[in-house]
Amino acid sequence: MPSISVVFNNEEILGQSMVNDVYTIGRQQSCDIHIDNLGISRVHARIMRQGDGYIVEDLKSSNGTFVNAERIQAPRKLTNGDQITIGKYTIIYSAEDSGENPAAASAPTVATHPAADVMPGFDDVFSTMAMDTEQIRKKMMEMKQAKSSDTGPVLPPPPAPKSSAEKVKSAVEIAEDRAKKAEAAMRAQTRTHILIGAGVFVALIIAAVIAFFLLK
């Protein structure tokens, strides 16, 4: 019995045997393979039984449907191992019997972005696939464990809080530094005033000498 696997970011998030004649794929909740992602059209594509196998057809989607990295313009017959790419999701088609229980395979399943909220199951009248709660919990736990196992950069420990004595010392040092800066500024200002006064005094002497010679 043929089967499909929906893969996102190298993680299989759905896998089951194919028992229906038609599987619609899209963002719309009534699709047989419901993928809750804005990069996918409401009814994006469909997989249909033809003879003893299946074909895939793009339904005029915005971003297109690809089979083995080639955008399809017409229905394409699927062979074992074909990869159907829709948005950032890959649907792997297997023509061989997966050995899965057909009764379990017909249970509804939903494929969603791992970072998005998982939607609840929908009515069987649409044969919608809905991932059961235990499967979701297991998949999310595996992803969290894989993420936590990644070794990131080692950050230095935060500095130890300063004691009261150290805080007082720091405050005294700051006050002393400010006092030194103020004293240096005052000295510079005093030197400026002295230079200005000396200049005025010299100018007065020169003026007096010139006046003396003129009046003589």
Side-chain angles (χ1 to χ4, degrees):
M1 178 183 298
S3 63
I4 55 172
S5 298
V6 179
V7 177
F8 176 84
N9 199 21
N10 296 324
E11 290 280 347
E12 182 181 358
I13 57 176
L14 184 159
Q16 71 171 52
S17 298
M18 302 177 70
V19 295
N20 297 339
D21 291 334
V22 179
Y23 290 90
T24 54
I25 308 167
R27 198 174 77 250
Q28 188 167 287
Q29 295 177 354
S30 60
C31 287
D32 300 305
I33 303 176
H34 170 219
I35 303 178
D36 186 15
N37 186 280
L38 293 177
I40 296 172
S41 299
R42 294 181 181 275
V43 184
H44 196 106
R46 64 184 172 188
I47 300 175
M48 299 181 296
R49 189 188 300 274
Q50 187 179 78
D52 58 350
Y54 282 87
I55 62 172
V56 61
E57 178 184 13
D58 182 76
L59 299 179
K60 298 180 179 180
S61 64
S62 299
N63 296 323
T65 301
F66 298 78
V67 176
N68 300 329
E70 179 185 351
R71 186 166 185 168
I72 61 173
Q73 306 296 337
R76 173 77 63 88
K77 183 173 179 60
L78 294 173
T79 59
N80 186 49
D82 278 350
Q83 297 187 9
I84 306 168
T85 303
I86 296 178
K88 295 183 178 180
Y89 293 77
T90 301
I91 300 174
I92 301 175
Y93 173 79
S94 176
E96 300 174 356
D97 190 353
S98 64
E100 188 176 356
N101 185 354
S106 62
T109 311
V110 134
T112 63
H113 191 295
D117 293 333
V118 179
M119 304 294 292
F122 300 100
D123 197 293
D124 288 343
V125 68
F126 297 112
S127 298
T128 306
M129 302 180 183
M131 196 180 274
D132 63 82
T133 305
E134 185 61 32
Q135 188 177 358
I136 295 169
R137 186 181 296 110
K138 181 179 178 181
K139 181 60 64 179
M140 295 302 291
M141 184 62 67
E142 289 175 354
M143 292 177 66
K144 288 181 179 179
Q145 290 175 351
K147 186 175 181 180
S148 63
S149 64
D150 294 338
T151 56
V154 179
L155 299 177
K162 293 183 177 180
S163 63
S164 299
E166 289 176 335
K167 291 181 180 179
V168 171
K169 183 179 179 181
S170 298
V172 171
E173 290 176 349
I174 293 173
E176 289 178 350
D177 183 63
R178 289 179 178 176
K180 289 179 181 179
K181 290 181 179 179
E183 183 180 358
M186 290 179 64
R187 288 179 179 176
Q189 188 175 10
T190 301
R191 284 195 298 268
T192 302
H193 290 165
I194 292 173
L195 292 174
I196 293 173
V200 172
F201 180 73
V202 171
L204 289 174
I205 292 175
I206 294 172
V209 171
I210 292 173
F212 174 77
F213 283 106
L214 289 175
L215 296 175
K216 185 176 179 181

